[in-house]
Amino acid sequence: MNAAPPPAALRLSDDEPLRTNDTTASANKMTLSENIDGRSEEEKFTSLWGQFYVQAQSTITSSSSSNQEVKEGTSEALERKHVLKVLDNFQRLIFALDKDKKSIAVNYDKGGWELISYLIGDSTFDDEEVTVAALKCIKSCVVKNPQGKSRCRRAGVFGYFSCILETCCHGRREKITEEALTTLAAICIGDDLNALIGFLLHKEMIEKLSSIHSSNTNVKNMSTYLLTLFTKIQSELPILETMIDSDTATTFVDILLKTEKYRAEAKDALKSQQFGFAEGKLTNAINVLSQQENFFLPVIREALGELYSDRAICRLETGYHESALSDADSSLKWTDGIQQRLVRSKVLKILGREEEAKQEIGKANLILNQANS
């Protein structure tokens, strides 16, 4: 599914010049040649971001606890000032990073969005400055960062947007509306699953906001872009029309998000070679997604293909070779991709079926050549 080209305002935000503080400069000046202390570039940045992450939390905690003798209103104002300062530093530091460093940042510890959520705490959407600052932080996490976009599904960001857009529909809040639509567009660009979720959850609210703020050029541009993208999705998948006016859409999105949570937990386990644990999470994801009758949806077929393929790897590593082959075969029923062919080749090779394994390599190369032609 090819997304519609983003409006100029959003394209400009990708390269928007930002002032950099010392931390940002340090993060971006790191190169592989700077390995004097024996650490890799990734390790250095992880350490740097870890310091910021801890300080961001402790700054808010200390700002409230160290001012107990100050009048309550003054103390709240001081804490709000600290929150805005940390959010501003977060946005400036993240925005200028490449996607590899952004991926580290958004997945560090509990996560980038979770840190933002902690910082804004119980702030209501009536606090325009804090809400806009939080939205800018989210946007900085997802621009030019596929990991950041997928993290939105796992971290509950779409639920946050549902609350924001619904609130904006009941009041002007023009600045928040503008930033929310711009950030949502950044989340959906280039990510079919995010675009599908955005379509199912937010289409009606975006239409309403476009009407409410008809004189605001930026709101009109962003809403037009999102609605064009959603219309394209709907035209390619007509069955989605039946979901819009019922609880089916919400239920379907809940299943997608639950599946995404299991997938993310499995990926984390695979990185640490906890194959048994990863297999369990992948099985949970497959069971949840297999309950759906919407298998014709490309994003669902692709997800099932990846889930079976990943579980095949787990079962291969734990010695269940025949079960691994069964999963490799199942993966191809959903997605005939390079990953699926390579995994099946590996399983066949372990089983001693060398000729069939070579054939799978050939098929993987054919898919690659077709994609590049």
Side-chain angles (χ1 to χ4, degrees):
M1 188 184 302
N2 295 319
L10 191 56
R11 291 200 304 272
L12 286 174
S13 69
D14 280 357
D15 299 305
E16 177 184 339
L18 291 168
R19 298 191 307 274
T20 57
N21 55 29
D22 291 340
T23 308
T24 307
S26 298
N28 289 311
K29 286 180 180 177
M30 281 192 239
T31 64
L32 290 173
S33 62
E34 296 179 35
N35 199 27
I36 299 174
D37 60 359
R39 294 184 299 170
S40 67
E41 180 183 10
E42 179 179 307
E43 290 170 332
K44 287 182 179 182
F45 177 74
T46 301
S47 175
L48 179 67
W49 181 255
Q51 293 174 37
F52 172 79
Y53 196 98
V54 171
Q55 289 172 3
Q57 297 179 81
S58 61
T59 297
I60 304 306
T61 304
S62 61
S63 70
S64 57
S65 62
S66 63
N67 290 281
Q68 295 176 353
E69 298 179 0
V70 184
K71 291 182 180 180
E72 183 177 348
T74 306
S75 178
E76 290 177 358
L78 184 60
E79 180 170 347
R80 179 179 177 278
K81 181 179 178 181
H82 278 288
V83 168
L84 287 169
K85 182 177 180 180
V86 175
L87 288 172
D88 182 64
N89 286 337
F90 181 107
Q91 188 257 340
R92 294 181 185 283
L93 175 58
I94 290 283
F95 197 97
L97 298 176
D98 61 40
K99 67 177 182 179
D100 292 331
K101 293 191 180 77
K102 280 191 178 185
S103 296
I104 292 172
V106 299
N107 291 305
Y108 183 84
D109 198 62
K110 292 183 175 65
W113 159 245
E114 288 78 1
L115 176 59
I116 297 168
S117 180
Y118 172 82
L119 292 172
I120 62 179
D122 297 327
S123 297
T124 67
F125 301 134
D126 291 329
D127 192 328
E128 180 181 276
E129 194 173 4
V130 170
T131 302
V132 169
L135 288 167
K136 286 183 176 180
C137 286
I138 296 172
K139 183 170 64 178
S140 69
C141 289
V142 301
V143 170
K144 297 181 179 178
N145 182 24
Q147 281 282 327
K149 295 176 192 289
S150 64
R151 179 81 191 190
C152 288
R153 301 191 290 272
R154 177 183 179 184
V157 172
F158 283 98
Y160 179 69
F161 271 89
S162 292
C163 293
I164 285 185
L165 295 179
E166 184 176 358
T167 301
C168 290
C169 283
H170 293 91
R172 295 295 297 178
R173 294 180 173 83
E174 192 167 52
K175 193 170 183 180
I176 293 177
T177 299
E178 185 176 331
E179 192 62 43
L181 293 178
T182 302
T183 303
L184 183 60
I187 290 171
C188 293
I189 289 174
D191 190 304
D192 290 348
L193 190 50
N194 282 356
L196 173 61
I197 293 171
F199 166 76
L200 293 171
L201 292 182
H202 304 137
K203 180 175 181 286
E204 289 186 355
M205 287 187 282
I206 292 172
E207 289 174 336
K208 185 173 182 179
L209 289 170
S210 179
S211 176
I212 292 172
H213 301 285
S214 57
S215 61
N216 185 308
T217 303
N218 287 334
V219 170
K220 289 294 290 184
N221 285 344
M222 288 299 117
S223 58
T224 299
Y225 169 72
L226 284 165
L227 292 173
T228 300
L229 175 61
F230 295 161
T231 299
K232 183 174 177 58
I233 293 172
Q234 190 173 337
S235 67
E236 293 177 354
L237 307 168
I239 193 65
L240 294 177
E241 179 65 30
T242 63
M243 295 183 176
I244 299 305
D245 298 320
S246 68
D247 293 333
T248 308
T250 302
T251 302
F252 184 60
V253 170
D254 287 343
I255 287 172
L256 290 178
L257 297 180
K258 183 181 291 186
T259 302
E260 187 70 23
K261 179 176 179 293
Y262 287 137
R263 288 176 72 183
E265 291 172 346
K267 286 183 183 297
D268 289 342
L270 283 170
K271 288 178 183 177
S272 56
Q273 297 187 340
Q274 296 177 323
F275 298 109
F277 182 79
E279 180 185 344
K281 293 297 180 180
L282 291 166
T283 298
N284 289 341
I286 289 170
N287 290 341
V288 169
L289 206 55
S290 295
Q291 296 172 10
Q292 293 304 294
E293 298 176 356
N294 304 287
F295 291 152
F296 56 85
L297 295 177
V299 290
I300 301 301
R301 299 185 67 86
E302 182 179 342
L304 281 167
E306 290 180 4
L307 290 169
Y308 275 109
S309 186
D310 287 345
R311 195 172 70 174
I313 293 173
C314 293
R315 289 180 167 176
L316 188 64
E317 293 291 341
T318 53
Y320 294 95
H321 299 162
E322 292 296 337
S323 294
L325 181 59
S326 176
D327 274 352
D329 291 340
S330 295
S331 72
L332 287 169
K333 294 177 183 177
W334 299 109
T335 308
D336 190 355
I338 295 174
Q339 174 187 337
Q340 287 70 36
R341 290 294 177 183
L342 292 179
V343 169
R344 190 168 190 272
S345 174
K346 184 174 182 180
V347 176
L348 289 168
K349 188 172 183 179
I350 293 295
L351 290 171
R353 295 159 63 173
E354 296 283 347
E355 190 57 38
E356 291 177 79
K358 290 179 181 178
Q359 291 175 8
E360 292 298 321
I361 295 292
K363 292 176 182 177
N365 285 327
L366 180 61
I367 295 172
L368 179 61
N369 292 334
Q370 290 175 341
N372 292 332
S373 62

